[in-house]
Amino acid sequence: MGRGERDTVARGARLYEAAQAVVDDHARAVEAARAALKPINDAAVKRELDAIPVARLQDVTEGRLRLGSVEKSGLRTVGSVLEAGPYRLRQIPGVGQRTADQMLAAAHRLSEAAHETVAVHIDVDRPEPSTTVLVTALHVLVEAGPDARRAVDKAAALSERLGPSLADARPAAGRIRMLLAGQEKKARVSAAVTEVRALVDEAEQTDLPGLLAQTSVDLLRTPASDVAAWVDFELRSAEYYSLLAEISGRQPDAAAAEGFLPDEIAERVRTQHLDDTHRQVSLRGYQAFGARFALAQRKVLLGDEMGLGKTIQAIAVLAHLAAEGQSHFMVVCPASVLVNWTREIEARSALRVMVLHGPDRHYAFADWKGRGGVGVTTFDALRGFPAPGGGEVGLLVVDEAHSVKNPQAKRSQAVAEWTEHCGRALFMTGTPMENRVVEFRNLVRMLDGDVADSLGERDALAGSVAFRKAVAPVYLRRNQEDVLTELPSLQQTDEWEELSASDEEAYRDAVRAGNFMAMRRAAYMRPEKSAKLDRLREIVQEAGANGQKTVVFSYFKDVLGVVGEALASELAEGTAVFGPLTGGVPAGRRQQIVDDFAGVAGPAVLLAQIQAAGVGLNMQAASVVVICEPQIKPTVEHQAVARAHRMGQVRPVRVYRLLATGGVDERMVRMLEAKTRLFDAYARRSAVAEATPDAVDVSDTELARRIVEEEQARLGLTDERVTAVE
């Protein structure tokens, strides 16, 4: 054994130490989060037990306990019984050792149940020392990202393989020991050295040492400040809650997370491998199951309720198939979400994405055919592209699939043709389809004709055993309340829209006039071709289909008028539209409008001017909020959202901010984020900021002037007047 063997052992030892360090660093980071979670969880359990009357112990013991004297002694809740303990209980007249033991055993059973079910909610508007410690601990793991989990898994697998071989190879590091060793031992050491060399070479070829080193650095890095951690939590709350659910070990009911699929299908899905090589986002358990379902069943309809991350699940499927060697994918969606799809794919994966839309779409399609990647197109544009050959497209994704439920429509026929020529298809819709058997069957027929034929009218009752069994091979739907055990109370989404040609014309006119306020509302001024309005309709219609109420905010009265007319003519029968609630409506009347909105059974829409409704009104009946345009004062936007997201809101609130690419919206978002993100996030947690939105906002006039000048320069327009800032 010479220097080469000694070097191999040394390299192996360094790699093994690095792998072990990553595993240990990750374990410490997880333990820090668990330790931070425990007192918060314990306090939540105590509140739960302190609210349970002592009479509930009768239910647990099937009525065997007599609790009258216990209540008379002042112990009126299960929490007080646990706090009292056996000695205090035995001092109560009529309570002996056996009764005390039975009471405590019953109380402990309720305590265990509370520990399993209580959910921790992180209140971003009222940070406390304990929640700050938790958010800071979670921040380390969230910031390290999916690469950290990937590195930990690889490090653990490498340690398991490398450890034994390295132990057998260590004698090669000592010359004298090898000289004295027998032939059998030398052969064993030589084989171990060969194995160590192979493992080290394999690791270095994939740059695993670099990944391990970076992960250790990431796991040891703390946030710059508590404020930075809280700001990051606001921006990525879903990722924090996903980690929180994983760390707490409190997973949703397995049957609900798996969509109540039959055992044989669920088992096939569970065993489906899911490759994360090209994915740059972590998945919740139910999301991973959804991606596996699409892979295992090949052609499916994912019908998860809005807010559960259908797009993320689709990206996970795309990333897996890309890792398997597939090169071409197609996403078909409404024009209103085209930009969102491209941004999500770019942000959440390492896949190449191409927009196949607009006047140059045929050139872009030819480029996609030649180079591959994820093509993103619209239903109408798809009709102009030739259907692929067999095996050419690895996956066809159809978003808002309920849009193609009519088999007579040309867009439906184009989707059906593409689906037939693709080996895999993933249809997605958040609109519940179970009660619309005819429409549902039309969608399913594109995926599996046999399943479609098995759906009879008698299976129309949603949730019926016959229906679930019949559609199980192709259909998966989960609801928020079933799968989000640690429920994010507020989910915020920026919806980026590409302006239509008509929108662009209206926008150019406003820029030419130097009218900043006209620029901000130009996207709604030609409603028949408005991209933002199209997306707003879709959001409201989907919320209504799920029985949810929606508040639509805008700064502008005329925008609310356009929105009201559009919704009144297109919403499903029985969906009431209230408002608009504007500054001209007397204060007493405003509250009456809100009360009427809240009092309606089922879906409803409230239109409200953001500065008129942002303070003093409680709109917690709404679980969906749409903001028509970004606000000059971010605090006004925060306060408006807080009208719905506040004490008494029992459902999570989903906030959509409608933004147009390439113009005033994008410039406003970028400027305001750069100038006020950290300061605003800190300052608005004070009473002053809550009472006075102007306290932390940049100058309206200066912001408007800069944006108008930049837009005039970008569009080649020379009029430099700035009007209508206020």
Side-chain angles (χ1 to χ4, degrees):
M1 295 289 173
R3 177 177 296 176
E5 286 74 12
R6 291 195 296 275
D7 288 346
T8 295
V9 173
R11 289 166 62 207
R14 287 194 296 271
L15 182 60
Y16 183 76
E17 288 172 6
Q20 288 291 99
V22 165
V23 172
D24 292 344
D25 291 340
H26 184 262
R28 277 192 292 271
V30 169
E31 186 52 41
R34 283 204 180 104
L37 174 62
K38 188 177 186 307
I40 300 173
N41 193 70
D42 289 346
V45 169
K46 186 177 186 306
R47 287 193 298 271
E48 184 91 0
L49 296 175
D50 286 343
I52 300 175
V54 74
R56 278 286 304 280
L57 297 177
Q58 289 275 23
D59 301 335
V60 180
T61 60
E62 299 178 352
R64 292 195 300 269
L65 293 175
R66 295 182 180 178
L67 302 170
S69 59
V70 175
E71 290 184 277
K72 288 178 182 177
S73 74
L75 302 181
R76 293 185 173 83
T77 68
V78 172
S80 64
V81 168
L82 285 169
E83 192 172 340
Y87 178 78
R88 165 84 188 280
L89 290 175
R90 289 198 302 271
Q91 307 308 306
I92 299 172
V95 176
Q97 181 70 48
R98 183 179 177 186
T99 302
D101 290 345
Q102 287 179 330
M103 287 178 61
L104 286 172
H108 280 298
R109 285 171 63 186
L110 288 174
S111 176
E112 289 168 5
H115 273 285
E116 290 176 2
T117 58
V118 73
V120 170
H121 296 290
I122 300 173
D123 190 342
V124 71
D125 290 316
R126 294 175 180 82
E128 299 175 355
S130 59
T131 53
T132 297
V133 172
L134 176 59
V135 168
T136 303
L138 290 172
H139 175 83
V140 174
L141 292 162
V142 171
E143 190 68 14
D147 280 347
R149 173 52 60 86
R150 196 174 295 122
V152 170
D153 291 343
K154 289 183 176 180
L158 177 66
S159 296
E160 190 174 337
R161 294 174 62 193
L162 184 57
S165 296
L166 193 61
D168 289 342
R170 284 195 188 280
R175 298 180 185 177
I176 297 176
R177 291 170 64 186
M178 288 306 299
L179 287 173
L180 298 176
Q183 285 298 115
E184 185 178 339
K185 184 175 182 179
K186 285 182 179 179
R188 188 167 64 251
V189 172
S190 179
V193 169
T194 300
E195 175 66 12
V196 170
R197 182 182 295 114
L199 289 172
V200 172
D201 288 345
E202 179 186 340
E204 290 179 348
Q205 287 170 7
T206 58
D207 194 28
L208 182 57
L211 176 62
L212 297 179
Q214 183 61 54
T215 301
S216 279
V217 170
D218 291 341
L219 289 170
L220 294 173
R221 182 185 293 125
T222 56
S225 66
D226 293 348
V227 173
W230 276 108
V231 170
D232 192 60
F233 172 77
E234 288 191 73
L235 295 173
R236 297 190 284 179
S237 62
E239 293 180 46
Y240 280 78
Y241 276 110
S242 179
L243 262 174
L244 191 59
E246 183 180 328
I247 287 169
S248 69
R250 189 172 300 113
Q251 298 301 323
D253 177 74
E258 296 175 356
F260 303 99
L261 293 177
D263 290 342
E264 65 274 11
I265 294 178
E267 182 58 32
R268 185 186 314 134
V269 174
R270 290 184 208 114
T271 58
Q272 167 68 50
H273 172 62
L274 185 60
D275 194 300
D276 65 353
T277 304
H278 299 300
R279 175 163 37 93
Q280 296 172 349
V281 62
S282 298
L283 301 179
R284 287 196 168 212
Y286 75 87
Q287 291 173 332
F289 185 87
R292 289 189 171 97
F293 176 77
L295 291 167
Q297 299 300 100
R298 301 187 70 84
K299 291 188 177 182
V300 301
L301 173 59
L302 180 62
D304 285 347
E305 189 177 24
M306 62 192 302
L308 292 183
K310 292 186 290 294
T311 302
I312 296 299
Q313 295 174 66
I315 291 172
V317 178
L318 292 168
H320 172 93
L321 293 172
E324 286 192 340
Q326 295 285 346
S327 58
H328 290 70
F329 309 97
M330 181 67 75
V331 174
V332 189
C333 61
S336 57
V337 294
L338 188 105
V339 175
N340 284 323
W341 266 103
T342 59
R343 292 192 177 210
E344 284 291 290
I345 293 169
E346 289 171 344
R348 312 291 188 178
S349 78
L351 303 179
R352 180 173 178 267
V353 60
M354 295 188 65
V355 176
L356 312 180
H357 179 59
D360 295 329
R361 60 186 178 276
H362 292 290
Y363 295 106
F365 182 81
D367 187 35
W368 169 78
K369 289 258 298 185
R371 299 171 60 195
V374 184
V376 183
T377 192
T378 64
F379 291 110
D380 291 335
L382 185 72
R383 292 165 47 197
F385 300 145
E392 183 180 344
V393 175
L395 177 69
L396 172 69
V397 178
V398 181
D399 193 14
E400 306 289 352
H402 53 272
S403 301
V404 293
K405 60 183 181 289
N406 178 8
Q408 305 306 316
K410 291 182 178 179
R411 62 166 53 184
S412 302
Q413 293 167 2
V415 168
E417 184 180 12
W418 271 73
T419 304
E420 184 180 353
H421 286 80
C422 294
R424 295 180 182 274
L426 173 55
F427 286 18
M428 305 194 309
T429 176
T431 301
M433 301 291 294
E434 294 95 323
N435 282 331
R436 310 172 189 180
V437 175
V438 174
E439 296 175 355
F440 188 86
R441 188 192 292 120
N442 292 337
L443 285 180
V444 171
R445 190 170 300 284
M446 298 186 200
L447 303 168
D448 190 315
D450 292 339
V451 172
D453 291 339
S454 72
L455 291 179
E457 296 299 333
R458 60 186 176 80
D459 299 328
L461 290 177
S464 73
V465 174
F467 175 83
R468 284 286 181 186
K469 185 175 181 180
V471 302
V474 298
Y475 184 58
L476 178 67
R477 177 174 173 84
R478 282 80 55 91
N479 298 317
Q480 282 193 355
E481 62 184 18
D482 291 331
V483 298
L484 293 183
T485 53
E486 303 292 338
L487 196 62
S489 55
L490 182 66
Q491 303 171 64
Q492 304 190 61
T493 303
D494 282 348
E495 291 278 337
W496 289 95
E497 317 300 334
E498 186 175 3
L499 294 178
S500 68
S502 180
D503 292 334
E504 288 278 10
E505 188 177 345
Y507 182 69
R508 289 182 69 90
D509 289 345
V511 174
R512 183 179 290 108
N515 190 325
F516 179 64
M517 289 308 198
M519 289 163 58
R520 292 182 60 205
R521 62 183 186 271
Y524 296 94
M525 292 302 97
R526 300 184 182 182
E528 65 281 355
K529 296 289 186 180
S530 169
K532 277 193 179 185
L533 194 57
D534 286 346
R535 182 57 184 147
L536 189 151
R537 284 192 196 98
E538 291 167 357
I539 292 169
V540 172
Q541 286 169 347
E542 185 168 330
N546 285 289
Q548 297 171 320
K549 288 182 168 66
T550 304
V551 175
V552 178
F553 285 119
S554 176
Y555 182 88
F556 304 101
K557 293 180 184 178
D558 51 358
V559 169
L560 292 175
V562 169
V563 170
E565 288 182 15
L567 294 181
S569 63
E570 295 199 19
L571 287 182
E573 186 177 349
T575 301
V577 178
F578 294 87
L581 197 161
T582 68
V585 177
R589 176 61 184 149
R590 293 185 204 179
Q591 188 59 58
Q592 185 60 53
I593 292 173
V594 173
D595 292 344
D596 292 343
F597 166 71
V600 171
V605 181
L606 173 63
L607 308 177
Q609 201 171 8
I610 197 164
Q611 64 273 38
V615 178
L617 294 174
N618 298 334
M619 303 173 181
Q620 59 261 42
S623 49
V624 176
V625 175
V626 181
I627 300 175
C628 291
E629 70 285 318
Q631 303 305 303
I632 299 176
K633 295 178 170 64
T635 43
V636 170
E637 196 170 297
H638 294 317
Q639 287 186 342
V641 171
R643 294 311 100 203
H645 174 233
R646 62 185 296 108
M647 191 75 71
Q649 171 59 260
V650 295
R651 290 180 58 86
V653 176
R654 184 85 176 178
V655 180
Y656 297 90
R657 184 167 60 159
L658 302 182
L659 304 168
T661 59
V664 61
D665 289 2
E666 194 154 350
R667 292 185 183 277
M668 283 181 68
V669 168
R670 191 165 60 244
M671 283 185 180
L672 292 171
E673 279 183 354
K675 282 201 165 194
T676 68
R677 196 176 85 166
L678 278 174
F679 179 60
D680 176 58
Y682 177 77
R684 72 184 175 85
R685 293 190 172 86
S686 71
V688 173
E690 283 297 313
T692 315
D694 296 333
V696 295
D697 289 307
V698 295
S699 163
D700 298 356
T701 305
E702 176 59 25
L703 180 98
R705 189 178 306 282
R706 286 178 56 192
I707 290 175
V708 170
E709 290 173 353
E710 289 177 8
E711 283 298 279
Q712 288 178 335
R714 180 178 71 87
L715 296 176
L717 304 170
T718 56
D719 192 334
E720 296 185 358
R721 290 173 298 153
V722 182
T723 64
V725 173
E726 293 296 333

